[in-house]
Amino acid sequence: MTPILYSFRRCPYAMRARLAIAVTGVAVEWREILLRDKPAAFLAASPSGTVPCLVTDQGVIDESLDIMLWALRQNDPEGWLDMPDEGWDWIARADGPFKRSLDRVKYAVRHEATEVAAARAEAVRFFDDLEAQLGDWMFARASLADYALLPFVRQFAHIDTAWFAAQPWPRVQAWLARFETSDRFGAIMEKRAVWVGA
Ligand SMILES: N[C@@H](CCC(=O)N[C@@H](CS)C(=O)NCC(=O)O)C(=O)O
């Protein structure tokens, strides 16, 4: 059976799963769903009810990072897994503290002003460090870390594009701009009809 990928176009977790699947060329059946109207087949398959969710003969993979690794372990033409160990620390920081800050800044109205200010300060530290880390990529060449982080960096930048553009992070801005204008990103953001069930 061809593995099934349940996805939602604008979800950054789903984006990174689709990016890894795209680079590896591993075949999946892409089922685009709506989070406000989750199909029964998705809810039956997904333990967490979140996207992305990959259904294979061997079982269900419910975490985007695990879906990336599943694809890359089958085929890794650009050597994304050939990443220094620090890459894992970056991914953990992005998925943990940075993602929490991102949600607080993005949904600021739901939080106390002091909490939002602390979250923004945390995000600024993250971007200052990322700026120091980056050349063209985070390491000598493109790796899992770049593609695991970029959809979230993009989401943060889009909260307030003018503010983001005014920050002293030229490498982060260039890295993000290259990603957003890449054919690879274009391909994974192509609009798909919503899957309505078999
Ligand atoms: N840890 C999960 C998180 C996935 C996640 O939180 N996805 C969000 C969308 S961006 C979701 O599906 N939320 C469920 C909902 O909105 O009902 C992963 O890495 O795949």
Side-chain angles (χ1 to χ4, degrees):
M1 147 206 167
T2 306
I4 297 164
L5 179 74
Y6 289 101
S7 182
F8 179 67
R9 183 170 177 271
R10 286 182 295 112
C11 166
Y13 295 102
M15 282 179 203
R16 71 186 186 183
R18 298 199 305 271
L19 286 163
I21 286 169
V23 73
T24 60
V26 170
V28 301
E29 179 190 337
W30 174 344
R31 293 184 178 175
E32 183 66 16
I33 67 165
L34 295 177
L35 294 176
R36 58 176 155 75
D37 186 15
K38 296 173 183 167
F42 164 72
L43 288 171
S46 163
S48 66
T50 64
V51 289
C53 176
L54 185 82
V55 181
T56 77
D57 278 338
Q58 280 88 47
V60 174
I61 308 179
D62 201 36
E63 288 288 336
S64 53
L65 200 55
D66 292 335
I67 297 173
M68 297 181 87
L69 295 172
W70 168 86
L72 291 163
R73 283 174 183 148
Q74 296 176 61
N75 187 31
D76 185 9
E78 296 185 5
W80 289 14
L81 294 180
D82 182 15
M83 172 181 80
D85 284 346
E86 291 162 76
W88 295 104
D89 300 333
W90 272 106
I91 293 170
R93 184 175 175 192
D95 285 6
F98 175 68
K99 177 63 165 91
R100 265 193 303 281
S101 304
L102 164 58
D103 289 341
R104 286 189 182 162
V105 175
K106 187 168 157 88
Y107 304 106
V109 288
R110 298 184 199 161
H111 300 278
E112 298 286 339
T114 52
E115 257 186 344
V116 177
R120 189 178 289 275
E122 165 90 39
V124 164
R125 278 194 298 279
F126 175 85
F127 284 118
D128 285 344
D129 291 347
L130 190 56
E131 179 68 20
Q133 176 71 34
L134 275 167
D136 281 349
W137 299 101
M138 293 177 67
F139 303 106
R141 56 198 178 108
S143 73
L144 179 69
D146 296 279
Y147 287 98
L149 267 63
L150 274 161
F152 297 91
V153 168
R154 175 175 180 272
Q155 199 175 41
F156 194 99
H158 284 255
I159 297 170
D160 184 345
T161 48
W163 179 86
F164 196 82
Q167 302 311 303
W169 304 321
R171 290 177 175 194
V172 176
Q173 288 147 353
W175 176 69
L176 177 61
R178 269 189 292 123
F179 171 65
E180 290 192 288
T181 55
S182 68
D183 291 345
R184 176 165 297 153
F185 183 67
I188 67 123
M189 292 304 279
E190 214 176 84
K191 289 207 168 120
R192 298 266 173 141
V194 171
W195 183 77
V196 288

